[in-house]
Amino acid sequence: MEVTFYDKELVGDRKGQWACDLDQPYRLIFEPHETPIPADENGKYLWIEIKGVEIIEITNYHGK
């Protein structure tokens, strides 16, 4: 299984959540435990510093 990670926050009713592509068309939706998310001086998220995430769901949110 190929997993593609998006390092941009989702929008709308999914603000604060992120997604990984799973087998199309499904995505793994999660929220990092850290608030705020660690970032460098340029605003790039430092995912290596994330200590945990909460898995919200596996879904095809574009196909709803």
Side-chain angles (χ1 to χ4, degrees):
M1 174 187 306
E2 184 177 328
V3 176
T4 303
F5 180 71
Y6 296 100
D7 66 349
K8 294 185 180 181
E9 186 175 8
L10 299 176
V11 296
D13 62 347
R14 292 197 177 271
K15 184 167 177 54
Q17 298 177 352
W18 277 258
C20 292
D21 269 349
L22 301 175
D23 287 335
Q24 288 295 326
Y26 297 101
R27 290 181 171 88
L28 175 74
I29 310 301
F30 66 94
E31 294 178 357
H33 286 172
E34 285 74 13
T35 303
I37 295 174
D40 67 13
E41 61 277 354
N42 297 315
K44 182 175 175 155
Y45 296 128
L46 299 173
W47 292 104
I48 195 136
E49 293 186 18
I50 299 293
K51 304 296 184 218
V53 298
E54 179 178 349
I55 303 301
I56 305 301
E57 65 180 329
I58 294 174
T59 188
N60 173 12
Y61 59 73
H62 290 296
K64 289 185 176 179

